[in-house]
Amino acid sequence: MTAIPLHTGLSHLADRYDGFILDLWGVVHDGIAPYPGVPECLKTLRARGKRVCLLSNAPRRVDAAADRLTEMGLTPDHYDALLTSGEATHDALRDPPDAWHAALGPTLLHIGPDRDAGVYLDLPGRIKVDRPEDADFVLNTGIVDFSESLTDYEPILAACAALKLPMVCANPDLVVHVGPQLVICAGELARRYEELGGDVRQHGKPYPGVYARCFDLLGDIPRQRILAVGDSLRTDMAGANAAGIDGLLITGGIHREELGVADPLADLPDLDRLAEIAARAGLTISGAMNRLGW
């Protein structure tokens, strides 16, 4: 297996790349605040003429995501562009990209918190209903409360599956860290729905549509000069591989336990273990870093 190099900061890599596609949760912030050194890293990249596109599987519109970043102290001068899976989902419901989406009926059952309602609220012809039997399809943006588990959603998922309602998933992530807490995401609900026989389409990483949009947002940068940085093998690294760009894994994110990283500021990852996992998944990883920093 090819050794995966471990880097201590993007300063070692900045000369190789002109564009950076950065994940948010687990890389830029923990859902509560930016990780130490990240704001300075972002500003340094931009000061050196690099273009930064933030790409998140957050199930909400770009404006809402930008407002949340600003609340954390990450203002638009820290990045050049921002794209979310929620925005991609909204666009697919507004302008169906294929026959599957075009066949969705007007009424939707929203599984998720009210804060994600922007994904569908302004869409003409889309009507939210409260019962599976009144719905044409399910819009899944995730759990309502961070303390909830998959078991809490088993009854509603089973009811929708029994009615053979198609599901649109606005966040392919399975889990995310909110501070120290590991929380399930819409992707986990979608995974279970498929187990129940449900028909699901997902928007966001690792699917190619969001990367094509990122390339447009970054401008005329050759793909070999673009680096994707994320903490998920399943979404960030798989997406980078499919898009034909290099991928850097943040090992202090959702894979930290299996890589032996109890403290991302003190513990080095087990790179042999990472190489084994990547090889088994058929993924190429260009490098690893415990935490995003300069």
Side-chain angles (χ1 to χ4, degrees), residues 147-233:
S147 65
E148 293 175 323
S149 69
L150 184 59
T151 302
D152 296 310
Y153 286 82
E154 190 72 20
I156 190 67
L157 294 176
C160 292
L163 291 166
K164 300 188 182 303
L165 299 180
M167 173 184 283
V168 178
C169 177
N171 175 2
D173 286 352
L174 299 178
V175 294
V176 69
H177 277 104
V178 180
Q181 183 182 8
L182 194 63
V183 175
I184 65 168
C185 297
E188 177 65 3
L189 301 183
R191 182 199 64 77
R192 176 58 181 153
Y193 197 62
E194 288 181 323
E195 285 184 347
L196 294 169
D199 186 13
V200 180
R201 295 294 186 277
Q202 305 199 52
H203 297 276
K205 298 175 289 184
Y207 301 101
V210 290
Y211 289 92
R213 292 176 67 170
C214 285
F215 296 151
D216 289 341
L217 291 169
L218 286 172
D220 189 21
I221 299 177
R223 294 195 184 187
Q224 66 269 24
R225 299 285 298 179
I226 298 174
L227 178 69
V229 182
D231 71 324
S232 169
L233 292 167

Side-chain angles (χ1 to χ4, degrees), residues 21-25 29 53-69 79 81-94 115-120 140-141 168-173 202-214 217 236:
I21 298 175
L22 305 181
D23 182 31
L24 284 181
W25 290 63
H29 63 70
C53 178
L54 304 179
L55 175 59
S56 173
N57 273 352
R60 55 197 59 92
R61 303 287 304 279
V62 162
D63 287 349
D67 289 345
R68 181 69 185 109
L69 288 174
Y79 53 91
L82 171 63
L83 180 62
T84 66
S85 58
E87 191 75 22
T89 301
H90 173 273
D91 291 352
L93 292 176
R94 183 192 62 204
R115 64 177 176 271
D116 299 337
V119 173
Y120 63 85
N140 167 23
T141 67
V168 178
C169 177
N171 175 2
D173 286 352
Q202 305 199 52
H203 297 276
K205 298 175 289 184
Y207 301 101
V210 290
Y211 289 92
R213 292 176 67 170
C214 285
L217 291 169
D236 298 302

Side-chain angles (χ1 to χ4, degrees), residues 5-29:
L6 180 66
H7 303 284
T8 58
L10 287 185
S11 58
H12 302 164
L13 301 167
D15 289 343
R16 301 185 202 174
Y17 303 101
D18 300 311
F20 293 81
I21 298 175
L22 305 181
D23 182 31
L24 284 181
W25 290 63
V27 175
V28 170
H29 63 70

